[in-house]
Amino acid sequence: MNNFEFKNPTKIIFGKDTIQKLKEEIPANAKVLLLYGGGSIKKNGIYEQVKSALSDVDVVEFGGIPANPEYAKLLEALKVIKQEEITYLLAVGGGSVIDGTKFLSAAAVYKGETPWDILANNIRTETGMPFGTVLTLPATGSEMNSGAVITRDEIKEKLAMGGPGLFPQFSILDPQVIVSIPKRQLANGIADAFTHVLEQYMTYPIGAMLQDRFAESILQTLIKVAPKVLKDPTNYKAASNFMWSCTMALNGLIQKGVPTDWAIHAMGHELTALFGIDHARTLAIITPSHYKYNFDAKKQKLAQYAERVWKIKKGSKNDKAFDAIEKTEKFFQELGIDTKLSDYTDDYEGTAEKIAKRFTDRGWVALGEHKDLSPDKVEKIVKMAY
Ligand code: NZQ
Ligand code: ZN
């Protein structure tokens, strides 16, 4: 196992009817900016619950943050933060609203000329404006990590940012919120969390027995609850296990002491930037090709995953490893997620070259757990995913 340090300061408030606990978490005398998305919270009762919990708090609202949070929209919110002298941010939404809030937390204290530099130059935020979240969509784990991904449509870029100052101070996780989530987004959440675990697990063995078991248990739980959640999101047992699995998949714990990959996400983000494909779906497109292309480097862990998660007992190590890739692709498809780029666009020719060039231009020439995934390899993987 590799050496590691682990600190996660986010307080989790989990369970039924917990949104009312909001008032205990907001500091006295705070001036709060409540941030939300396209309006789902106004239809499903979450907005009312939040407003009633904040009845004694000075609150300004900012709605309309789109999925794949858009830089231009966030700059409007930044203006409000400055004009209204906001001291505390509250995100009520899924990964997009929470990520947008993290950007604002960083931008509100940023001293440089243009806040885009935080993304373009990968500036880490040591201390941001404090914020909390009310999660409405289990998927990204953003509610308990310090990363964010921001889109700038004007230049078709989608870039990541982060830093120790960008953990939420608290996150409220009431699994009952999933009842209003459309099936498509539920499937996305399952696929995203599943791939988060894979990115931190499907590398090479390093003797981290507990981390492996943590990762496998999250995968097994997601496989088990997926059909139940899709069939009946009012099933609280399934909803609560789904929500906690998504948070645990990307709160930093399972990646400690082990090598991680994250190349699937790097390639996937480009597909969202270029075609607007939902984040989780881009991962389902790239994952099978990535594992087939890097089969030799990953086959030990692929075979372990085959045996422990998919219970594949027959065949050689190579057979099991290969079967596990097939099972993974089928799992995505059973969620209703297509796994080829051509399922989403007819305009896919040239995509692989474009992505490889972007990676070269950014100096991303050594991705993956072995730091050997060069742009020419990325080009081949994306082509295999057409
Ligand atoms: O905008 P509203 O109207 O709220 O509707 C949203 C949105 O249309 C809707 N929704 C959310 N909660 C709902 C609901 N509809 C009904 N009932 C509810 N309770 O769902 C739609 C999608 O929301 P979004 O926040 O975009 O989804 P998700 O949580 O999947 O977030 C995706 C974003 O997170 C980034 C992705 O790149 C993408 O931009 N990621 C963030 C990560 C992180 N910070 O750690 C890691 C991930 O790998 C990912 O990259
Ligand atoms: Zn993801």
Side-chain angles (χ1 to χ4, degrees):
M1 197 190 303
N2 295 331
N3 293 2
F4 66 86
E5 293 181 9
F6 182 52
K7 180 176 178 185
N8 188 318
T10 301
K11 173 177 178 181
I12 295 293
I13 302 168
F14 189 97
K16 276 186 188 170
D17 306 325
T18 42
I19 295 177
Q20 52 184 294
K21 298 202 165 182
L22 246 183
K23 53 177 167 286
E24 296 158 30
E25 301 303 321
I26 305 280
N29 305 321
K31 184 157 185 192
V32 175
L33 184 62
L34 189 173
L35 295 135
Y36 61 94
S40 68
I41 64 164
K42 297 224 165 144
K43 294 186 208 126
N44 57 18
I46 295 173
Y47 177 80
E48 281 74 22
Q49 290 182 60
V50 168
K51 288 294 278 189
S52 125
L54 295 180
S55 54
D56 297 330
V57 180
D58 190 359
V59 181
V60 177
E61 295 180 21
F62 186 90
I65 297 174
N68 304 313
E70 165 57 37
Y71 179 68
K73 187 79 195 173
L74 294 170
L75 289 186
E76 290 173 29
L78 188 58
K79 249 190 216 154
V80 176
I81 290 173
K82 304 237 153 119
Q83 274 163 5
E84 298 281 344
E85 298 180 353
I86 297 294
T87 62
Y88 200 94
L89 305 173
L90 177 65
V92 183
S96 293
V97 173
I98 299 175
D99 282 10
T101 301
K102 287 178 180 172
F103 168 77
L104 292 169
S105 162
V109 301
Y110 182 60
K111 299 274 184 282
E113 283 279 293
T114 147
W116 183 250
D117 292 345
I118 300 170
L119 290 135
N121 303 336
N122 204 359
I123 296 171
R124 284 166 66 75
T125 300
E126 297 298 327
T127 311
M129 180 174 279
F131 67 99
T133 88
V134 175
L135 180 69
T136 67
L137 171 53
T140 63
S142 190
E143 66 278 8
M144 200 180 175
N145 69 39
S146 60
V149 195
I150 304 297
T151 296
R152 190 172 180 184
D153 195 40
E154 185 193 359
I155 49 173
K156 296 263 176 273
E157 291 267 25
K158 180 168 172 126
L159 295 177
M161 55 176 282
L166 294 180
F167 282 97
Q169 290 199 330
F170 68 87
S171 283
I172 297 187
L173 276 56
D174 180 344
Q176 296 173 120
V177 297
I178 81 158
V179 299
S180 61
I181 301 175
K183 266 207 169 70
R184 167 202 177 87
Q185 299 297 347
L186 287 171
N188 284 353
I190 294 161
D192 192 21
F194 198 85
T195 315
H196 292 159
V197 179
L198 292 179
E199 296 266 40
Q200 302 163 87
Y201 170 88
M202 205 61 77
T203 56
Y204 53 86
I206 192 153
M209 295 159 64
L210 185 59
Q211 289 90 326
D212 278 3
R213 299 280 186 194
F214 278 152
E216 288 152 3
S217 65
I218 298 170
L219 296 171
Q220 285 171 301
T221 307
L222 286 168
I223 292 167
K224 179 113 185 157
V225 301
K228 298 190 169 79
V229 164
L230 290 175
K231 186 165 165 239
D232 178 14
T234 67
N235 175 340
Y236 185 78
K237 187 173 160 190
S240 53
N241 282 289
F242 167 42
M243 190 173 247
W244 188 226
S245 293
C246 293
T247 303
M248 287 299 291
L250 196 49
N251 64 2
L253 181 69
I254 68 170
Q255 72 180 9
K256 291 299 154 191
V258 301
T260 59
D261 183 347
W262 293 112
I264 298 170
H265 271 70
M267 290 181 260
H269 287 159
E270 298 305 317
L271 296 181
T272 301
L274 291 169
F275 300 106
I277 302 169
D278 291 353
H279 169 65
R281 285 162 200 257
T282 68
L283 309 176
I285 294 168
I286 298 291
T287 300
S289 306
H290 184 59
Y291 290 164
K292 281 179 199 159
Y293 185 82
N294 294 290
F295 190 81
D296 282 335
K298 291 180 182 288
K299 72 178 174 199
Q300 301 291 341
K301 288 302 283 283
L302 277 166
Q304 179 179 317
Y305 162 70
E307 287 167 6
R308 294 192 187 171
V309 175
W310 292 110
K311 312 292 175 204
I312 298 169
K313 304 275 183 246
K314 284 205 204 98
S316 64
K317 189 166 267 180
N318 277 11
D319 292 342
K320 287 177 183 167
F322 192 80
D323 283 358
I325 301 175
E326 304 257 281
K327 284 267 189 199
T328 308
E329 185 163 8
K330 195 153 162 270
F331 176 63
F332 292 140
Q333 289 165 347
E334 280 168 2
L335 295 173
I337 297 182
D338 291 322
T339 54
K340 288 286 174 200
L341 183 58
S342 53
D343 296 323
Y344 297 85
T345 173
D346 295 330
D347 198 19
Y348 54 83
E349 287 299 345
T351 304
E353 291 85 347
K354 220 179 269 173
I355 294 178
K357 176 160 188 324
R358 284 179 161 207
F359 282 19
T360 308
D361 292 349
R362 287 190 206 133
W364 294 7
V365 292
L367 302 182
E369 66 272 20
H370 292 291
K371 306 263 170 281
D372 64 353
L373 200 80
S374 47
D376 59 307
K377 295 179 183 169
V378 164
E379 187 176 324
K380 291 194 182 106
I381 293 166
V382 177
K383 258 190 198 148
M384 284 165 67
Y386 282 178

